[in-house]
Amino acid sequence: MHRVGSAGNTSNSTRPRKEKRLTYVLSDADDRKHCAGINCLAVLKASESGSDYLFTGSRDGTLKRWAVAEDAATCSATFESHVDWVNDAVLAGDNTLVSCSSDTTLKTWDCLSYGTCTRTLRQHSDYVTCLTATDKNSNIVASGGLGGEVFIWDLEAALTPVSKSGDSMEDDSSNGTNGSGNAQPTTNLRTISSSNSISMHTTPAHGYVPISAKGHKESVYALAMNDSGSLLVSGGTEKVLRVWDPRSGSKTMKLRGHTDNIRALLLDSTGRFCLSGSSDSMIRLWDLGQQRCVHSYAVHTDSVWALASTPTFSHVYSGGRDLSLYLTDLATRESLLLCTGEHPILQLALDDDSLWVATTDSSVNRWPAEGRNPQKIIQRGGAFLAGNLSFSRARVSLEGSTLVPVYKEPVFTIPGTPGIVQHEILNDRRHVLTKDTASSVKLWEITRGVVIEDFGKVSFEEKKEELFETVSIPAWFTVDTRLGSLSVHMDTPQCFSAEMYSADLNIVGKPEDDKVNLARETLKGLLAHWLGKRKQRSGTQASTNGDVSSGKEITPRSITQSRLEDSNTENDSMVYPPFEFSTTSPPSIITEGSQGGPWRKKITDLDGTEDEKDFPWWCLDCVLNNRLPPRENTKCSFYLHPCEGSTVQILTQGKLSAPRILRIHKVVNYVVEKMVLDKPLDSANPDATFAPGLAGGPLSAIGDGSFRSGLKPWKLKPSIEILCNNQATSVMTSVIGFGGPHFFGLSSESKPRYRVQGRSLSNQDASVLSSDSVVVNGASVVGEREGSSPLVDQGNGSLRHKVKEKQKIEDGVLESLEPLWDDGYGTVTVKDYFDANEQMIKPDGGPPRWFSPLAFNPPLKDSPVLLFLPGLDGTGWGLILHHKALQKVFEVRCLHIPVNDRTPFEGLVKLVEETIRLEHASSPNKPIYLVGDSFGGCLSLAVAARNPTIDLVLVLVNPATSIERSQLQPLFPILEAMPEELHITVPYLLSFVMGDPTKMAMVNIKSRLPPGLKLAQMSQNLTALLPCLSSLADIIPRETLLWKLKLLRSAAGYANSRLHAVKAEVLVLASDKDNMVPSRDEADRLRSSLHNCTVRHFPDNGHTLLLEDGVDLLTVIKRTLKYRRSRKRDSFSDFLPPSMTEFNNTFDETVGLLRFASGAVFFSTLEDGTVVRGLAGVPNKGPVLIVGYHNLMGLELYSLIDEFLREKKIMVRGLAHPELLLGKSSDDFDLLKLFGAVPVTARNLFKSLSSKSHVLLYPGGAREALHYKGEEYKLFWPDQPEFVRMAARFGATIVPFAAVGEDDLLELVLDYNDIKNIPVVGDYFINANNDAIQLREETSGEVANQALFFPGVLPKLPGRYYHLFGKPIETKGREEILKDKDSANKLYLEIQSEIEKSLAYLIKKREEDPYRNIIDRTVYRALYSPLNEVPTFEA
């Protein structure tokens, strides 16, 4: 999302000032209703003579007060001041409502007023997610947010009126006040150091200092306080509960137990007991006195997001992502499904005998609850006993339709209006097509803020195609629908780039050729009411549509920052009909001025007192002084060429340039006079619009673009028309209406045909291209490497290949990849890199631009965009080895910086920034990947720091942020003094410093080749590669190298100074043998400096990591779990199966020795009970649950996955201990992540089976894999049969299996009992286990003993591994397993017994194997067959 109102520049900053944005939010619906999800609820009980009030806070950025009657509720006030989602609200103090928002503020309100905001508290650095207040000490409120901060506020002190002292008082003034215009003072606090856990914050002398509870390292999502305010509990993404003393901010304890984000907390009145709800689907009851979890309640099938308890804390109401509301007796563990809905539950509020339920929908439901005696509901029957383990949760899922909700309908509903969820900006840049949650499609005119047509429930895509027009107006605004309505963002100077003729706008009384600036007229329409109020205050009697005195003159920043707009001064303040906004449903303005921070207010509530402290200066300069920012070169350049088949010669090869907004009929006149009639223009005429230049020189456009020559204007002939992409155009169409490049054809019955190619010369437009380029998404794309096709404009600034788009629709887009797919790695070599650069480095005079490296082939559905930012070479081909793999799952675009380009670093930042903003606006829910190589890493960090609210994933490859510590620093002055004739030697030297030529030559050499063949092929590759190094002198000439070294220093300084502002997800790839920069040390520095940074080291690679062997970028992204297609990674929909290259590298190299040594044999059992060699007995069609015994250190796992992929091409998804995948040592287990392992949780088992996967489950878990001496082949299973019931829920086939062979490979010499007694080492493992993610805490006995450690083992002369898969057990149709626990237990014990029998069988039968010993197998393989055909015992 875009956070509105960007901050201005600080006094000591050297970068160009980023001007503040103006946003207006449109509303078509009843303003008394919410139009987005409800995040929070608060109930105010009636006084003796009043009514009950319900307060709701919404994702639409507003709060509302509802007067509640018996069966209805009426909106009595709207509280509008927040500029982003309202996330929580509590009642505190005397009629004080406190709210928090994603705009990082808290606001206090007079809850009984008509929307009076009394103060804005600015302290958080990120979204504020939660609030809590006390009952007895009603002045105390705590707030928590995504920045990991927790603040405790004393409202009485914070809201004490303060006296203004000069300009030292920071005040919201009337900003954000709805209706009353009361002042909203703002506290602006900064943190200073403290000697303890309390962070003190100082403000100016008049400010208030809150208490900060420091200790959270990650985001905080839930808070709770007891009645007296003596205890504060917090929870969040760290999965722990922290308990604080809010009076001092000191931490008193930390409680572990949850395995996912903690989303809801409750404290009883005394502060002894605490309830927590988590994304791990569990509810836990904690005894804070005993500092432990005393009960766990497995009720929900998905995340628990909301809790509400009865006054006595005996029962809890819970809701969450599973759409269900439950009532649970905390003492008896009885749970009852009260109701189910269509939307996830976000908040609950108990109101006597009813319960308010807020969801992601814009409506609020009131359900019966029996809050005074909830046991009445449970006594009706239908309750079930909540389990206490994660595998026993999801009772609803396990029992299917057996649970019937108690209530079918709510008591009543406070309705909301459907929120907008999809939008498309049409080509005319005045209309936006939207679709809301009710599937209604509407057409908005954003320059008036109204819906001009409601199409009802129709196909959004079909309607978008129907409204498509062949015009292209510059993108002067962006739109998002985060608030459930259209938010239109205007940024200077881009917003002033669009103009239209008054005739096209149907403005009566204005000359048809007058140009109208869309942004300027829109601003005048938005601020018409404000201008009227301003006029009244200044005493000038004039109409709002007449001359309005500007009052105080707003002085422009400088002569270069604004220009006087040439227009009729009589109409400067007139609002034309296409720009008149509604006063019945007026839009709200979100913006900020020089003081006070962002604010929001209806345009009809502006009172005329607002000035430059409240509005951006450029808005006032435009509206009051009629000044616009300086206009960049907006000429459109085009050429005339004969159409195919024409024999007519062109009279001039000159380039024509004209204003981008030039009527086509004037181009026709020129073509007729100059080209068809062979009547040259009078080049001496100073008034000529098109004046022929010298031979081959440009033709320039002057004046207003009208076409005049020495001859009389040619009257248009009906037989002549202009074609664009073989489509006829209207003679009144503007040249700008076709974007670039233009392909026009002139058609006539008896005249020749011409093709006209146009391209923009504007520095602002990235479409200044070489002749072999096309434009995609506002950026150039080289289209000749593997063919190109025509483009169509989709109306949102995004151009697509028309032919390919049709093919994409017809052929369909892949939903997922098949296992062992071809990633193309090794088919392209480094020599191809140099060959590709031969064409790329040719000078064409163009600026930096984007290109797509391969022919257009659609990636997976909903694939994110990947932007490659190159290193010093600047060519953009640095990813060439990885293009084929990446293009399967990304929309890949590469930045090309021409050899002679001298764009400063800030200019490159702006180019990338504009691209990601366009992408984010078109797909706000998808991440954008920035892969930065060396210099590109600095560029990526700079862009991320400037755009913290856009979902970015940075992949930094040896980032050059450490260039000042480069070991080559002494050589840089020598390079500057080196004579030109010696520069040719520099690329050779740099090639060996930057990368390893041997590694580059190994790229396409198969690892399985014999050593002799490897050496021969490497020698051949080196011989072909070394001559190419001379082209480095052309890629990086002397002047370019010196420029880029300066650019690199500037980039590193810029990026390093802004690391604190980077909120993006970051992956750093560091070469330990980098001779260019100290990448190894720099990676560790970045990990400690960045908010969310993962590092992977490559011990044997150099600086040019992406061009060297052994590095597959997509594989690294997958191994670190960085690939996702939405805001949050899904372990199943975002999983990419291993490619053939990944499979070969893993099982031939990484675990090749283990595979060779174990000589694994596989048996399976057919349905008739026959045991056969191979996996024929395992079903091919899922869902299949493979359940077995976990060998020591999981030795059987790799051969099992290997065999399923080789024989069946089936990906087995293993359920692993969360510590291996998410813990501190998870870096060591990247291989498990690559092959689909997920944390062992009930949710993941649920998702695995629901997706019909083959799932591998070890009920004994770590207790079996890390067993003690003498415990080989002994099962350690829990008593609960929950996986059986989960399998039955989905009709999965259960396949028991046994694996034997650990004792033939390793000898266990030190188990946990031995290790924990070793000094230092034992303490290390004990402490590590205390901090590790815990499983089965509530379970007693051996199965609960899941200590993690590295056992001491000694290798043996390898024997052999044996796997036996038992007879498949069908659960489909066996409903008794779901309904009857005894039936489930019976099947559970049957599976356990089957595995024990299989283990005994294999242990006995392996004695009959003549090739059990590795020596015997090796001799047999040498004489007869490959590894997997070595015989074994007869089954």
Side-chain angles (χ1 to χ4, degrees):
M1 63 163 282
H2 293 292
R3 182 170 290 146
V4 297
S6 58
N9 201 12
T10 57
S11 59
N12 61 348
S13 176
T14 59
R15 69 177 177 88
R17 174 186 178 88
K18 181 173 177 60
E19 299 298 348
K20 296 178 173 63
R21 157 183 289 180
L22 183 135
T23 296
Y24 58 98
V25 183
L26 304 181
S27 175
D28 175 51
D30 187 349
D31 190 53
R32 293 172 297 177
K33 297 179 181 178
H34 286 297
C35 63
I38 310 299
N39 279 342
C40 53
L41 303 166
V43 176
L44 179 64
K45 299 304 294 179
S47 60
E48 294 181 1
S49 59
S51 61
D52 289 354
Y53 286 122
L54 173 69
F55 295 89
T56 56
S58 171
R59 296 178 176 181
D60 63 14
T62 68
L63 298 102
K64 295 185 184 296
R65 183 182 70 225
W66 307 85
V68 180
E70 187 68 26
D71 56 357
T74 305
C75 181
S76 58
T78 296
F79 302 82
E80 184 174 9
S81 181
H82 283 297
V83 301
D84 208 334
W85 288 10
V86 176
N87 293 323
D88 204 356
V90 294
L91 289 163
D94 296 328
N95 299 327
T96 298
L97 177 68
V98 185
S99 61
C100 68
S101 167
S102 295
D103 63 12
T104 74
T105 70
L106 280 73
K107 291 182 183 288
T108 60
W109 315 78
D110 181 350
C111 69
L112 300 181
S113 71
Y114 289 97
T116 303
C117 180
T118 54
R119 192 146 199 178
T120 299
L121 306 173
R122 304 183 191 278
Q123 182 62 34
H124 286 269
S125 63
D126 210 329
Y127 296 175
V128 192
T129 55
C130 51
L131 297 171
T132 185
T134 63
D135 283 343
K136 295 180 180 178
N137 190 356
S138 58
N139 289 320
I140 302 301
V141 173
S143 60
L146 297 190
E149 303 145 326
V150 176
F151 297 109
I152 299 100
W153 305 84
D154 184 336
L155 295 184
E156 185 176 359
L159 300 181
T160 300
V162 295
S163 59
K164 293 187 178 182
S165 175
D167 294 330
S168 63
M169 175 66 180
E170 182 179 342
D171 193 343
D172 272 358
S173 189
S174 61
N175 300 345
T177 305
N178 183 9
S180 67
N182 289 4
Q184 300 174 35
T186 305
T187 55
N188 191 6
L189 315 179
R190 60 184 180 89
T191 306
I192 62 172
S193 59
S194 177
S195 58
N196 54 25
S197 62
I198 307 173
S199 176
M200 303 302 294
H201 303 273
T202 63
T203 66
H206 61 272
Y208 162 71
V209 181
I211 295 173
S212 175
K214 299 184 68 175
H216 277 285
K217 300 176 183 177
E218 297 180 15
S219 301
V220 178
Y221 276 88
L223 294 171
M225 268 199 293
N226 63 340
D227 286 356
S228 62
S230 60
L231 279 179
L232 170 67
V233 182
S234 61
T237 56
E238 294 175 271
K239 310 163 193 173
V240 299
L241 275 73
R242 298 180 189 271
V243 184
W244 315 83
D245 182 346
R247 296 163 295 189
S248 63
S250 58
K251 184 173 64 176
T252 59
M253 69 183 80
K254 181 168 67 173
L255 303 173
R256 297 181 180 275
H258 284 293
T259 59
D260 209 336
N261 188 7
I262 296 171
R263 294 294 302 268
L265 290 170
L266 290 177
L267 269 176
D268 73 337
S269 58
T270 64
R272 177 179 177 182
F273 292 104
C274 176
L275 275 170
S276 60
S278 167
S279 294
D280 63 8
S281 78
M282 298 295 293
I283 302 172
R284 291 180 181 268
L285 179 64
W286 307 81
D287 187 325
L288 300 187
Q290 300 180 30
Q291 300 189 18
R292 70 183 186 94
C293 174
V294 292
H295 289 293
S296 296
Y297 305 90
V299 175
H300 288 268
T301 63
D302 210 327
S303 302
V304 181
W305 287 351
L307 299 173
S309 72
T310 56
T312 60
F313 219 68
S314 60
H315 295 73
V316 63
Y317 301 88
S318 59
R321 195 175 178 180
D322 59 2
L323 321 180
S324 301
L325 176 65
Y326 289 90
L327 171 63
T328 303
D329 187 324
L330 298 179
T332 65
R333 309 182 65 86
E334 290 180 291
S335 290
L336 187 66
L337 176 63
L338 296 182
C339 62
T340 58
E342 298 179 355
H343 306 279
I345 295 173
L346 298 177
Q347 186 66 279
L348 303 172
L350 192 62
D351 185 6
D352 294 334
D353 284 336
S354 62
L355 186 70
W356 294 102
V357 178
T359 68
T360 54
D361 186 43
S362 57
S363 303
V364 181
N365 292 319
R366 186 177 192 177
W367 294 87
E370 296 289 349
R372 296 186 180 89
N373 187 9
Q375 198 62 29
K376 285 184 180 179
I377 306 177
I378 294 179
Q379 289 172 355
R380 298 179 185 179
F384 63 92
L385 193 64
N388 61 357
L389 296 175
S390 59
F391 275 111
S392 63
R393 72 126 175 91
R395 178 83 183 210
V396 176
S397 294
L398 298 178
E399 300 193 354
S401 59
T402 57
L403 286 182
V404 179
V406 176
Y407 304 111
K408 300 295 184 183
E409 298 292 337
V411 176
F412 70 86
T413 298
I414 302 176
T417 58
I420 298 174
V421 293
Q422 190 174 3
H423 71 277
E424 189 80 15
I425 303 174
L426 301 188
N427 299 39
D428 62 7
R429 303 293 174 184
R430 292 178 57 227
H431 296 95
V432 176
L433 191 68
T434 63
K435 180 180 180 180
D436 59 29
T437 54
S439 299
S440 179
V441 178
K442 298 178 181 179
L443 183 63
W444 293 74
E445 185 173 356
I446 62 101
T447 55
R448 292 196 297 135
V450 295
V451 173
I452 58 175
E453 191 163 1
D454 187 343
F455 300 107
K457 295 182 178 180
V458 299
S459 169
F460 182 84
E461 295 299 325
E462 291 179 3
K463 183 57 64 175
K464 181 177 68 175
E465 293 296 327
E466 178 186 327
L467 296 175
F468 175 82
E469 297 181 62
T470 2
V471 295
S472 179
I473 307 295
W476 61 279
F477 66 89
T478 57
V479 169
D480 73 50
T481 55
R482 176 175 170 81
L483 301 181
S485 51
L486 281 181
S487 295
V488 183
H489 308 294
M490 298 171 63
D491 294 283
T492 189
Q494 302 95 308
C495 66
F496 295 108
S497 62
E499 293 179 333
M500 292 181 67
Y501 285 111
S502 59
D504 296 332
L505 293 167
N506 298 318
I507 299 177
V508 180
K510 190 174 178 65
E512 66 175 22
D513 277 349
D514 275 8
K515 299 172 185 176
V516 176
N517 189 288
L518 299 183
R520 178 178 180 270
E521 299 306 320
T522 301
L523 284 173
K524 285 165 53 180
L526 285 170
L527 299 181
H529 178 84
W530 173 77
L531 282 169
K533 291 290 186 180
R534 185 182 180 89
K535 177 265 302 178
Q536 293 175 11
R537 286 180 176 272
S538 65
T540 303
Q541 299 300 319
S543 167
T544 302
N545 276 347
D547 291 333
V548 178
S549 171
S550 63
K552 179 182 176 182
E553 179 83 2
I554 304 299
T555 305
R557 297 301 172 95
S558 71
I559 253 174
T560 60
Q561 278 188 300
S562 60
R563 58 183 168 84
L564 189 62
E565 180 74 0
D566 295 327
S567 64
N568 189 339
T569 55
E570 293 181 2
N571 296 326
D572 280 351
S573 300
M574 177 175 290
V575 178
Y576 299 114
F579 303 94
E580 291 179 342
F581 286 85
S582 169
T583 56
T584 55
S585 56
S588 299
I589 285 181
I590 297 177
T591 190
E592 65 175 312
S594 60
Q595 298 180 18
W599 54 273
R600 172 175 174 169
K601 186 183 280 192
K602 295 282 187 188
I603 60 172
T604 51
D605 290 334
L606 299 172
D607 59 10
T609 61
E610 297 84 2
D611 54 21
E612 64 270 16
K613 294 192 301 294
D614 311 305
F615 285 111
W617 71 271
W618 57 269
C619 296
L620 301 183
D621 205 22
C622 170
V623 174
L624 297 179
N625 300 332
N626 199 29
R627 292 189 181 98
L628 303 184
R631 179 179 295 168
E632 298 186 26
N633 182 10
T634 55
K635 297 291 182 65
C636 178
S637 179
F638 54 93
Y639 294 86
L640 299 178
H641 300 290
C643 277
E644 294 180 6
S646 173
T647 59
V648 176
Q649 297 297 317
I650 299 179
L651 297 179
T652 177
Q653 295 295 330
K655 178 168 56 179
L656 301 176
S657 58
R660 290 180 60 105
I661 182 168
L662 175 68
R663 297 284 189 186
I664 288 294
H665 75 78
K666 297 182 180 181
V667 180
V668 172
N669 280 347
Y670 176 79
V671 171
V672 170
E673 293 184 9
K674 181 69 176 173
M675 313 297 290
V676 180
L677 299 183
D678 193 14
K679 295 180 180 180
L681 297 174
D682 182 4
S683 61
N685 183 358
D687 294 329
T689 300
F690 293 87
L694 301 175
L699 302 176
S700 61
I702 64 174
D704 63 355
S706 61
F707 200 96
R708 296 188 296 275
S709 69
L711 301 174
K712 293 182 179 179
W714 181 266
K715 293 185 178 179
L716 296 178
K717 299 290 185 180
S719 60
I720 298 174
E721 61 183 1
I722 293 288
L723 303 179
C724 174
N725 287 334
N726 296 320
Q727 296 182 14
T729 65
S730 168
V731 294
M732 299 305 291
T733 305
S734 304
V735 170
I736 193 176
F738 295 94
H742 308 286
F743 294 95
F744 297 141
L746 179 63
S747 173
S748 174
E749 295 177 1
S750 59
K751 301 299 180 185
R753 291 167 58 88
Y754 295 92
R755 181 180 69 175
V756 182
Q757 179 181 3
R759 63 182 198 215
S760 169
L761 298 182
S762 168
N763 291 330
Q764 178 184 351
D765 194 336
S767 59
V768 184
L769 313 175
S770 58
S771 60
D772 60 350
S773 301
V774 294
V775 175
V776 173
N777 286 358
S780 62
V781 179
V782 175
E784 293 296 325
R785 180 168 174 81
E786 297 192 33
S788 61
S789 54
L791 301 169
V792 294
D793 191 329
Q794 294 192 328
N796 60 354
S798 176
L799 292 171
R800 303 287 183 188
H801 289 262
K802 189 173 184 179
V803 174
K804 295 295 184 180
E805 186 74 15
K806 182 179 179 181
Q807 179 183 343
K808 174 180 173 181
I809 295 172
E810 292 176 354
D811 296 347
V813 180
L814 289 176
E815 295 281 349
S816 61
L817 296 172
E818 293 295 325
L820 307 186
W821 54 279
D822 181 14
D823 59 9
Y825 190 78
T827 60
V828 180
T829 67
V830 179
K831 186 176 183 301
D832 294 308
Y833 164 79
F834 289 104
D835 293 342
N837 283 330
E838 286 184 11
Q839 297 296 322
M840 190 66 82
I841 62 177
K842 292 180 179 179
D844 59 12
R849 49 188 174 262
W850 301 99
F851 69 91
S852 180
L854 297 176
F856 183 80
N857 290 311
L860 291 182
K861 184 179 180 182
D862 297 326
S863 290
V865 169
L866 183 147
L867 304 177
F868 175 63
L869 310 181
L872 280 183
D873 66 325
T875 63
W877 285 105
L879 271 183
I880 192 169
L881 304 185
H882 312 270
H883 285 160
K884 292 184 178 179
L886 293 173
Q887 195 189 32
K888 296 279 189 181
V889 295
F890 290 104
E891 293 183 21
V892 181
R893 297 173 203 157
C894 305
L895 179 64
H896 170 59
I897 305 174
V899 172
N900 297 322
D901 179 73
R902 296 296 182 263
T903 302
F905 182 68
E906 290 80 0
L908 295 175
V909 171
K910 183 179 179 182
L911 170 65
V912 180
E913 186 175 61
E914 289 174 349
T915 303
I916 66 167
R917 288 180 176 179
L918 282 172
E919 289 297 336
H920 177 71
S922 61
S923 301
N925 293 320
K926 289 200 294 186
I928 300 171
Y929 284 72
L930 297 181
V931 178
D933 183 14
S934 187
F935 165 76
C938 300
L939 186 53
S940 299
L941 288 169
V943 172
R946 288 162 56 105
N947 297 273
T949 59
I950 296 181
D951 186 8
L952 298 176
V953 180
L954 309 187
V955 181
L956 310 180
V957 184
N958 293 325
T961 45
S962 60
I963 187 64
E964 295 299 333
R965 292 181 280 122
S966 170
Q967 47 267 53
L968 300 182
Q969 279 290 339
L971 296 179
F972 295 156
I974 299 175
L975 291 175
E976 297 179 7
M978 180 178 291
E980 179 69 31
E981 55 271 18
L982 294 180
H983 177 74
I984 194 172
T985 64
V986 173
Y988 287 97
L989 297 175
L990 288 179
S991 66
F992 287 95
V993 171
M994 296 174 65
D996 183 349
T998 304
K999 283 280 187 182
M1000 294 180 183
M1002 291 285 292
V1003 166
N1004 63 338
I1005 300 177
K1006 301 296 183 183
S1007 60
R1008 289 172 289 181
L1009 288 177
L1013 287 178
K1014 278 188 180 180
L1015 185 60
Q1017 190 168 341
M1018 184 181 70
S1019 177
Q1020 181 181 350
N1021 289 352
L1022 273 174
T1023 303
L1025 177 62
L1026 290 177
C1028 297
L1029 297 179
S1030 62
S1031 63
L1032 285 175
D1034 298 321
I1035 297 174
I1036 315 177
R1038 180 176 184 274
E1039 294 301 322
T1040 300
L1041 178 60
L1042 296 178
W1043 161 257
K1044 289 193 173 180
L1045 288 176
K1046 294 178 181 178
L1047 191 67
L1048 191 54
R1049 294 191 188 98
S1050 172
Y1054 189 102
N1056 284 323
S1057 66
R1058 290 162 175 81
L1059 292 180
H1060 65 279
V1062 176
K1063 303 296 183 183
E1065 193 175 357
V1066 181
L1067 170 62
V1068 179
L1069 310 185
S1071 299
D1072 292 353
K1073 293 184 178 179
D1074 188 345
N1075 295 321
M1076 182 75 176
V1077 290
S1079 293
R1080 177 186 178 89
D1081 296 338
E1082 181 65 4
D1084 296 333
R1085 184 184 76 92
L1086 291 175
R1087 175 160 43 192
S1088 61
S1089 301
L1090 295 173
H1091 176 70
N1092 182 11
C1093 181
T1094 302
V1095 172
R1096 290 296 180 269
H1097 289 279
F1098 295 83
D1100 301 320
N1101 293 89
H1103 188 70
T1104 52
L1105 181 66
L1106 296 176
L1107 293 174
E1108 298 182 12
D1109 181 52
V1111 181
D1112 187 332
L1113 180 59
L1114 181 58
T1115 300
V1116 178
I1117 292 173
K1118 291 164 59 177
R1119 289 170 70 117
T1120 52
L1121 303 181
K1122 297 298 181 185
Y1123 183 78
R1124 54 188 171 90
R1125 286 177 275 185
S1126 58
R1127 289 186 177 274
K1128 185 177 181 180
R1129 185 180 186 276
D1130 186 283
S1131 299
F1132 296 90
S1133 62
D1134 289 330
F1135 172 69
L1136 302 175
S1139 67
M1140 182 59 75
T1141 301
E1142 292 166 339
F1143 176 79
N1144 290 334
N1145 288 342
T1146 299
F1147 293 104
D1148 289 343
E1149 296 183 23
T1150 307
V1151 294
L1153 181 61
L1154 176 62
R1155 180 169 170 259
F1156 172 81
S1158 63
V1161 182
F1162 288 83
F1163 297 95
S1164 60
T1165 308
L1166 303 180
E1167 291 184 2
D1168 60 3
T1170 304
V1171 177
V1172 296
R1173 187 167 181 179
L1175 302 177
V1178 180
N1180 294 325
K1181 187 177 180 181
V1184 174
L1185 181 60
I1186 303 169
V1187 184
Y1189 166 73
H1190 215 351
N1191 278 226
L1192 181 65
M1193 300 172 64
L1195 289 174
E1196 82 291 352
L1197 186 61
Y1198 297 106
S1199 56
L1200 185 150
I1201 295 174
D1202 178 17
E1203 190 68 16
F1204 269 88
L1205 285 170
R1206 289 182 190 274
E1207 182 174 333
K1208 289 179 169 285
K1209 292 190 72 172
I1210 288 176
M1211 187 68 246
V1212 177
R1213 304 295 304 273
L1215 297 172
H1217 196 292
E1219 185 66 23
L1220 303 183
L1221 305 178
L1222 305 175
K1224 295 180 180 179
S1225 301
S1226 62
D1227 297 7
D1228 300 325
F1229 299 94
D1230 281 358
L1231 200 59
L1232 295 179
K1233 305 170 192 174
L1234 179 63
F1235 283 87
V1238 294
V1240 58
T1241 64
R1243 178 197 294 177
N1244 284 337
L1245 178 59
F1246 182 95
K1247 286 186 175 182
S1248 300
L1249 296 177
S1250 64
S1251 62
K1252 299 185 178 180
S1253 302
H1254 284 64
V1255 188
L1256 178 61
L1257 174 66
Y1258 295 105
R1263 182 62 183 87
E1264 287 178 355
L1266 300 175
H1267 61 69
Y1268 300 164
K1269 287 182 285 188
E1271 294 179 342
E1272 297 84 359
Y1273 309 121
K1274 180 180 179 182
L1275 300 187
F1276 291 94
W1277 283 22
D1279 296 331
Q1280 292 80 6
E1282 296 307 329
F1283 78 79
V1284 172
R1285 306 176 71 214
M1286 186 76 82
R1289 169 67 177 85
F1290 293 99
T1293 302
I1294 300 177
V1295 179
F1297 89 96
V1300 168
E1302 65 174 67
D1303 53 342
D1304 265 4
L1305 268 70
L1306 300 173
E1307 180 179 354
L1308 179 61
V1309 294
L1310 292 175
D1311 60 20
Y1312 188 64
N1313 289 329
D1314 300 319
I1315 290 175
K1316 69 181 180 181
N1317 293 322
I1318 301 175
V1320 181
V1321 176
D1323 293 338
Y1324 169 81
F1325 280 106
I1326 291 173
N1327 294 331
N1329 276 285
N1330 289 336
D1331 293 335
I1333 300 172
Q1334 303 295 317
L1335 294 178
R1336 294 174 173 166
E1337 289 183 291
E1338 303 86 357
T1339 307
S1340 58
E1342 281 297 325
V1343 73
N1345 186 6
Q1346 297 232 6
L1348 303 179
F1349 65 100
F1350 290 105
V1353 295
L1354 291 175
K1356 292 183 176 181
L1357 182 66
R1360 199 170 194 180
Y1361 243 103
Y1362 304 88
H1363 300 74
L1364 174 58
F1365 293 86
K1367 183 178 179 179
I1369 301 171
E1370 295 287 346
T1371 63
K1372 189 174 182 179
R1374 299 180 64 173
E1375 289 79 7
E1376 72 278 2
I1377 299 175
L1378 294 173
K1379 300 176 181 179
D1380 183 14
K1381 181 173 284 190
D1382 291 338
S1383 298
N1385 280 327
K1386 182 179 178 181
L1387 179 56
Y1388 182 76
L1389 295 174
E1390 178 185 332
I1391 296 169
Q1392 190 173 359
S1393 175
E1394 179 67 23
I1395 294 173
E1396 290 173 337
K1397 290 178 182 178
S1398 296
L1399 288 170
Y1401 171 82
L1402 290 175
I1403 292 171
K1404 178 181 178 181
K1405 293 292 290 184
R1406 68 178 175 176
E1407 301 294 336
E1408 304 173 11
D1409 185 0
Y1411 300 103
R1412 179 180 176 185
N1413 187 281
I1414 190 174
I1415 298 176
D1416 297 326
R1417 293 197 303 275
T1418 304
V1419 172
Y1420 184 91
R1421 284 197 302 271
L1423 296 176
Y1424 301 108
S1425 74
L1427 173 65
N1428 60 343
E1429 294 180 359
V1430 177
T1432 185
F1433 59 80
E1434 290 292 331

